[in-house]
Amino acid sequence: MTLTTVLTALGALVLAPLAGGLLYGIDRKVTARLQGRMGPPVVQPFYDFFKLAAKKRMMTSRGSGVWAWAYLLLTMTAFALFFLGQDLLVVVLVLAFAGGALAYGAFAVRSPYAHLGAHRELLQMAAYEPILLLTVVMFAMETGSFTVCGVLAAAGPLLPALPLTFLAVLIALGIKMRKSPFDIAACEHAHQEIVRGVYTEYSGRYLALIELAHWYELVLVLAVVALFWAQPLWVGALIAAGVFLLELFVDNLAARLRWSWMVTAGWGLGIGFIMINMVLLRWLA
C-alpha cells in the first residue's frame, strides 16, 4: 500500500459526502421533473442534513442509536477499504454487516412498523448480497484477483466479457438503492407511505447519521459499477452515471413489487444471469 493510495482513500472519504449529497439532490430534482413538479434545489439534502443534525437527541431506544452509529462506521469502513484497493469480498461483507446494523436498529424498538421494515430490509439483503458476492467472483475469474487494485490493473475493460453479470448488478443496485420496483423496506421519496419502514423510529441526529451513511453507500456502489470499465476509468465513471440515471427513470416508471417478486428477481434473474455468464466464460476459454 503506497502513500498515494492512502491519500486517495482519505480524499475519497472527505469528498464522498459532497458527491453523495449532490447525487441525492439530483435524484430529487429528476424525480420531481418526471412528476411535473419543480422540485427542491439540488443542494436540499445538505440543508436537510444540517437541520436534522441540529435537532435534539431523541430516541425511543438507546440500542437503535448505537446501531445507527454502527451503520455509518461500517459503511465508511467498507468505503475506505475499497479506495485502499483491498479485497472486494471483504468490502461486500463489511457492507452487508452495515446493512444488518440498520435492520437491528429497527428491531431495537417496539414499533411494529419498524419491525416490519427491518424484516423487509433483511429480505432485500438476502436478494442482493448473493449477486454482489458472485459479481466479485466473476471479477476474480476475469482478472485473476479479488482486490480492487487487481481489477484496476486488468488488461482491458470487463464489461465485454461480463455483460450478463452487469445486468445482474443493475438488479442488485435497484434493490440496494431502495428504488421501485424494489423499494419494499423503505424508499427515498416516501411515495404513498405514512411511515418509513426501517427508518420509522429515527429522527434528528441519528437520522442525519443514516442519511450520511446513505451518501457513502451510494458513491461506493457506483464505484463498483465503474469497475466494469476501469481502463480508461472515465468511461467507467460515465457508465456509473448512466446507470444512476437509469435507476431514477425506472423508479418513476415502475410500480412496487411484492417482496416475493423481489426475491425471485434477485435469485432467479440476478443469480441466473451470473451463472450463464460464468458458463459462457468457461466455454469460450
Side-chain angles (χ1 to χ4, degrees):
M1 188 182 304
T2 64
L3 179 61
T4 304
T5 306
V6 174
L7 291 176
T8 301
L10 287 175
L13 272 172
V14 172
L15 295 176
L18 179 62
L22 286 175
L23 287 171
Y24 270 88
I26 293 170
D27 180 351
R28 292 187 188 183
K29 196 73 176 177
V30 170
T31 298
R33 290 303 177 94
L34 288 173
Q35 296 173 354
R37 299 183 284 112
M38 285 297 294
V42 173
V43 293
Q44 186 64 43
F46 299 107
Y47 297 152
D48 295 342
F49 173 80
F50 288 115
K51 185 177 180 180
L52 288 171
K55 288 182 178 293
K56 290 183 179 179
R57 189 182 304 169
M58 294 181 64
M59 290 298 299
T60 54
S61 165
R62 184 176 295 178
S64 56
V66 173
W67 287 116
W69 273 107
Y71 176 48
L72 173 62
L73 295 177
L74 286 169
T75 304
M76 290 178 68
T77 301
F79 186 91
L81 289 172
F82 181 90
F83 282 91
L84 285 171
Q86 299 302 303
D87 196 311
L88 275 167
L89 280 177
V90 176
V91 172
V92 171
L93 290 175
V94 173
L95 202 57
F97 282 122
L102 185 62
Y104 298 147
F107 279 130
V109 296
R110 295 183 177 180
S111 166
Y113 299 109
H115 284 204
L116 182 62
H119 284 295
R120 291 186 171 190
E121 183 72 17
L122 293 177
L123 274 173
Q124 289 192 171
M125 291 176 61
Y128 69 72
E129 286 296 337
I131 297 175
L132 296 182
L133 289 172
L134 287 172
T135 299
V136 176
V137 172
M138 295 300 290
F139 283 171
M141 285 180 62
E142 192 60 20
T143 65
S145 173
F146 280 98
T147 66
V148 177
C149 287
V151 175
L152 291 174
L158 300 178
L159 184 55
L162 307 176
L164 295 178
T165 303
F166 184 75
L167 290 179
V169 169
L170 294 185
I171 296 173
L173 190 61
I175 303 173
K176 185 70 177 166
M177 290 174 65
R178 302 172 182 84
K179 295 295 186 186
S180 287
F182 305 121
D183 52 338
I184 66 162
C187 68
E188 298 301 330
H189 300 298
H191 290 181
Q192 75 277 19
E193 290 96 347
I194 299 175
V195 294
R196 291 197 66 197
V198 72
Y199 311 124
T200 301
E201 295 298 323
Y202 284 108
S203 63
R205 297 176 186 177
Y206 292 111
L207 190 56
L209 293 178
I210 291 174
E211 291 298 321
L212 183 59
H214 284 170
W215 295 352
Y216 277 107
E217 193 177 63
L218 178 59
V219 176
L220 177 56
V221 294
L222 291 179
V224 172
V225 172
L227 289 181
F228 277 91
W229 205 293
Q231 291 83 25
L233 193 55
W234 64 269
V235 177
L238 286 178
I239 292 174
V243 165
F244 174 70
L245 291 175
L246 176 65
E247 294 289 350
L248 301 191
F249 280 106
V250 173
D251 181 43
N252 286 278
L253 294 174
R256 177 180 299 161
L257 293 176
R258 296 180 60 183
W259 67 265
S260 55
W261 282 100
M262 181 197 66
V263 175
T264 302
W267 291 356
L269 291 178
I271 296 177
F273 282 153
I274 295 177
M275 289 294 117
I276 294 171
N277 205 156
M278 188 180 292
V279 171
L280 289 175
L281 271 184
R282 285 295 182 188
W283 182 59
L284 294 174

